[in-house]
Amino acid sequence: MTSTAAARTKIRKSEVTHYKMYIDGKFVGAKGGKTFDVFDPSTEGVIATCPAAGAEDVDRAVKAANRAFYGGWRSVTGQERGRILFRLAERIRARRSELAELETVNSGKPIVESEYDMDDAATCYEYYGGLATKINGEVLPVPADAVAFTMREPVGVAGQIIPWNYPLVMAAWKIAPALAAGCTMVIKPAEQTPLTLLKLAEDFEAVGLPPGVVNVVTGDGPVAGGAIVKHLQVRKIAFTGSSAVGKIIMREAADQLKRVSFELGGKSPNIFFSDADFENAVDGALFGTFINQGEVCSAGSRVLVQRDIYKKFVDAAAAKAKTIRLGPGLDRETKMGPLVSEEQRDRVAGYLKVGRGEAKVAAGGGTPKRFDKGWYIEPTIFYDVDNSAKIAQEEIFGPVMSVIPFKDEADAIRIANATPYGLAAAVWTRDIFRAFRVVKALEAGIVWVNHMQPTFVEAPWGGYKASGFGRELGHWGVEEYLETKQVFINLDEKPIGWY
Ligand code: NDP
């Protein structure tokens, strides 16, 4: 993302902060001296530059992680790793306002949502701080003349590649379990939103992280991300992002049979039966789609509504969507900020054009006229959408809802599952029998009943089908960074006696 936006905007050079990346315990520039611009999506102005890491910078970071792993980190006790994780959480809580503000300026999201994000990130470090002392193997039921057990050991250097929609939260979901497991890592934030992780890195040494244990490398996806994936000393890749990039990473990782875990896209169904609490249902449809400007992997952007409440539901949802307040994220009244980048705004605007040809518009459908600057998109509701339409099948990653009518339970389940994705789903009904039947029939890694989006660090996160594999959060999250060693001890001193 090199850009001439600095020249286009009136932002003075002195207002641009020049960040460094964090390798082997030091803040450094890229060897080649290249940088890229980072923007405020509400002003379109450049707010920072970051080093554009090349393969040699990634090599330096991976080697530092490898040295740190074999040089002692893997024998640091779970208790000590836990304390470091708790201290990281404390730092996030102490710097909540500063980090939340930076997250909002850099990503566009409303400040209230950024503040929740900081709490979630801190909670994630606390959870894995506790879990670091509870990683153990099992004793296995073998015959009396033997003892067998399993040992859990860290995988080694992890390569972690994260997206721009929840920058510090996504970093926490990757760094915290890897540290709890005893891994070292090289993490690459998205080019659009590297700032809060670099800010947090200022505290890494103070919380007790030895040099090389967590390295933050900034740069272009195919260049810096690609170098992480290909590096021979990286044992495992954890990736969150688009399915398209997931496929590239899987192909590249295949050469070394490198472990991968993927949290990819989604097109999650949010299903409303006519017996659902109507007001809650309408709110749930809007919240499920428009939170974080719709830039959410689990966005409930396919809204399935039973025919007998369909018209009333579309009208009520459209009336509410029109009242959603758009504006700069730092304004506390803002409910929806700009999208993260010009590229993303154009991408979503492209889908709006497609949608206008595929369905009817109940609300929004374009870019708001009242802002001179900022990558805004109106909260948009398309209705009478056929499930085979592009806007019903492809991940838009913006504030765009596709409403699809259905006849009965069987019809709802059929439509809900008719997508390549399987990340999340929600069902709204007051009939407990129906709720459980639908939960069992849905092909998704996360299913909510009478809500959409609540996420708890204790519960597994990940998808079925093309939404990826592996699970983050909870004890499942740490499993992704552990090997299992089987140990067998013979207690019978007699010769084996075979030959
Ligand atoms: P990407 O999948 O391209 O980016 C996610 C991360 O992968 C970024 O850190 C990116 O780096 C990196 N990356 C990109 N290409 C490579 C590569 N060849 N090798 C290794 N790493 C790579 O998402 P986009 O930002 O392009 O967004 C496009 C669409 O992807 C969205 O509209 C949305 O549909 C989907 N998406 C889904 C997310 C989810 O949580 N499920 C999150 C983000 C996007 P860099 O930033 O430098 O390009």
Side-chain angles (χ1 to χ4, degrees):
M1 187 178 65
T2 49
S3 168
T4 54
R8 282 201 269 119
T9 64
K10 293 193 179 70
I11 300 276
R12 288 192 310 276
K13 263 214 154 131
S14 58
E15 291 172 33
V16 176
T17 311
H18 302 287
Y19 283 75
K20 298 261 167 75
M21 53 192 174
Y22 189 74
I23 297 178
D24 204 11
K26 293 190 189 66
F27 283 96
V28 296
K31 266 258 154 66
K34 274 204 204 157
T35 60
F36 62 91
D37 293 340
V38 179
F39 298 85
D40 173 345
S42 68
T43 64
E44 304 180 19
V46 176
I47 51 169
T49 67
C50 284
E56 56 185 342
D57 301 298
V58 169
D59 183 54
R60 192 156 45 124
V62 175
K63 284 183 173 149
N66 203 51
R67 269 195 311 277
F69 183 71
Y70 290 105
W73 179 249
R74 66 178 172 155
S75 19
V76 168
T77 61
Q79 288 184 0
E80 181 51 18
R81 295 200 306 276
R83 280 191 286 269
I84 290 171
L85 283 156
F86 282 117
R87 288 196 288 263
L88 269 171
E90 273 167 30
R91 292 308 302 146
I92 294 173
R93 293 201 188 282
R95 299 176 74 183
R96 182 179 190 255
S97 308
E98 174 205 353
L99 291 171
E101 198 168 301
L102 184 61
E103 197 80 300
T104 284
V105 170
N106 187 190
S107 70
K109 68 171 73 190
I111 184 70
V112 179
E113 293 185 28
S114 289
E115 287 167 353
Y116 283 129
D117 285 2
M118 297 309 116
D119 298 341
D120 283 350
T123 306
C124 182
Y125 286 105
E126 284 157 358
Y127 176 87
Y128 285 105
L131 198 64
T133 51
K134 292 154 198 79
I135 297 168
N136 45 251
E138 291 169 60
V139 177
L140 307 171
V142 290
D145 58 358
V147 172
F149 56 91
T150 56
M151 291 170 71
R152 308 307 309 274
E153 296 180 339
V155 166
V157 178
Q160 305 178 317
I161 298 171
I162 58 171
W164 40 257
N165 54 343
Y166 286 91
L168 207 65
V169 172
M170 289 293 107
W173 285 22
K174 301 263 183 297
I175 293 173
L179 285 177
C183 290
T184 59
M185 66 217 71
V186 176
I187 181 164
K188 193 198 90 61
E191 263 180 282
Q192 295 85 347
T193 55
L195 303 186
T196 44
L197 181 55
L198 290 174
K199 270 277 158 203
L200 185 63
E202 294 169 354
D203 286 325
F204 284 176
E205 191 179 343
V207 300
L209 278 172
V213 172
V214 183
N215 303 275
V216 184
V217 166
T218 52
D220 174 62
V223 177
I228 294 173
V229 175
K230 288 185 205 99
H231 202 291
L232 285 168
Q233 288 177 344
V234 172
R235 293 274 178 82
K236 181 235 153 57
I237 296 292
F239 170 74
T240 300
S242 63
S243 301
V245 172
K247 287 179 194 171
I248 296 172
I249 292 179
M250 196 160 169
R251 270 185 226 115
E252 287 178 348
D255 271 351
Q256 297 167 27
L257 292 172
K258 198 167 276 187
R259 282 152 188 68
V260 288
S261 52
F262 286 153
E263 205 267 89
L264 306 175
K267 193 75 190 177
S268 300
N270 199 0
I271 308 167
F272 297 91
F273 285 96
S274 52
D275 68 337
D277 180 294
F278 190 79
E279 289 301 315
N280 277 348
V282 172
D283 263 2
L286 298 185
F287 185 78
T289 314
F290 298 139
I291 185 87
N292 206 47
Q293 301 77 237
E295 296 167 320
V296 182
C297 53
S298 57
S301 53
R302 270 192 316 141
V303 169
L304 278 48
V305 184
Q306 196 156 21
R307 278 207 185 278
D308 32 354
I309 56 162
Y310 181 71
K311 168 115 189 28
K312 186 175 159 203
F313 192 98
V314 170
D315 291 346
K320 271 205 166 176
K322 287 174 190 163
T323 68
I324 293 175
R325 188 174 157 139
L326 266 70
L330 286 182
D331 179 347
R332 287 203 164 264
E333 300 302 310
T334 291
K335 284 279 190 270
M336 196 188 288
L339 300 197
V340 74
S341 65
E342 187 172 16
E343 186 185 0
Q344 189 63 10
R345 192 271 316 271
D346 291 348
R347 200 174 163 272
V348 175
Y351 276 107
L352 295 184
K353 194 166 167 217
V354 170
R356 288 194 295 269
E358 287 184 325
K360 296 179 189 144
V361 180
T367 49
K369 304 285 169 280
R370 65 182 183 283
F371 300 103
D372 326 330
K373 290 265 177 231
W375 297 308
Y376 293 95
I377 289 279
E378 290 171 334
T380 295
I381 300 181
F382 288 114
Y383 70 108
D384 284 1
V385 180
D386 190 275
N387 193 50
S388 64
K390 218 167 145 104
I391 56 165
Q393 287 296 309
E394 295 184 14
E395 184 177 47
I396 297 177
F397 231 65
V400 185
M401 181 192 295
S402 296
V403 190
I404 304 171
F406 70 83
K407 194 166 104 237
D408 53 19
E409 195 177 307
D411 199 27
I413 292 165
R414 179 186 59 76
I415 298 170
N417 287 337
T419 157
Y421 293 114
L423 183 57
V427 53
W428 299 70
T429 175
R430 281 185 278 206
D431 177 342
I432 190 166
F433 299 102
R434 166 182 284 157
F436 273 95
R437 280 196 304 270
V438 177
V439 164
K440 287 182 82 171
L442 288 169
E443 294 175 333
I446 304 142
V447 183
W448 293 288
V449 177
N450 294 333
H451 210 318
M452 184 151 214
Q453 303 306 354
T455 304
F456 297 96
V457 66
E458 296 82 0
W461 187 270
Y464 285 20
K465 304 196 287 186
S467 291
F469 35 81
R471 290 292 180 274
E472 297 196 285
L473 303 184
H475 64 80
W476 298 267
V478 90
E479 294 290 328
E480 301 290 338
Y481 295 94
L482 291 169
E483 295 282 14
T484 302
K485 182 178 279 174
Q486 183 232 120
V487 183
F488 175 88
I489 301 169
N490 180 22
L491 302 179
D492 183 354
E493 293 187 49
K494 289 200 303 287
I496 297 173
W498 188 266
Y499 299 108

